[in-house]
Amino acid sequence: MELTGKIIAVLPANSGVSSRTGNPWMSQEYVIEVPGQYPRKCLFRIFGEDRIKQFNIQMGEDVTISFDIDAHEYNGRWFNEIRAYNVTRGAAPVAGAPQAAPFPPQQAAPQDAAAPFPPAQEPAGEGSADDLPF
């Protein structure tokens, strides 16, 4: 999945040593705001010191993130995690900007074209076998 927007928060990096493998790890979280009539915000994480340095995400940048969503259980509760695996720099779409034409192009129907639904029929009168209560 992908989101395009502006980075509005860069949170401090977290690091530690895995108790299972003994290897060091590092992750950092960011908040992206997706423009639109009702702007949406999404917190995502980048895992791995090499990726954090490679992407070098800065506050205020317009980016497109490619991410996966996963859930995990902890003490009987479930939590979602949004983990970015690719970041592309570029301009975020501007709210109110003209959108691409729909595909396939919509054409006006001719006046004599058949309607998508047949015309409504008049009720047959009371006592008809096909009368429905609704």
Side-chain angles (χ1 to χ4, degrees):
M1 291 189 221
E2 288 188 346
L3 279 178
T4 300
K6 180 179 277 198
I7 300 297
I8 61 169
V10 177
L11 304 174
N14 298 315
S15 61
V17 177
S18 172
S19 60
R20 191 180 62 184
T21 64
N23 295 331
W25 58 269
M26 179 182 261
S27 73
Q28 190 164 8
E29 294 178 325
Y30 306 86
V31 178
I32 186 171
E33 183 176 55
V34 180
Q37 182 178 2
Y38 302 105
R40 296 175 291 150
K41 296 171 186 68
C42 180
L43 175 84
F44 68 94
R45 174 185 313 226
I46 295 179
F47 192 83
E49 185 176 6
D50 56 336
R51 285 190 176 183
I52 293 170
K53 288 180 180 179
Q54 173 190 358
F55 298 144
N56 191 26
I57 298 173
Q58 303 296 318
M59 182 81 149
E61 278 188 301
D62 290 328
V63 296
T64 298
I65 61 166
S66 301
F67 61 93
D68 287 325
I69 300 175
D70 194 20
H72 62 276
E73 185 265 339
Y74 179 73
N75 288 341
R77 295 190 60 193
W78 285 88
F79 299 91
N80 288 323
E81 181 176 6
I82 299 172
R83 191 176 289 189
Y85 59 86
N86 192 21
V87 176
T88 307
R89 285 170 171 68
V94 177
Q99 300 293 321
F103 185 79
Q106 297 175 354
Q107 298 175 352
Q111 293 294 334
D112 59 354
F117 297 104
Q121 297 177 354
E122 295 294 323
E126 292 190 22
S128 174
D130 63 342
D131 280 348
L132 298 175
F134 56 120

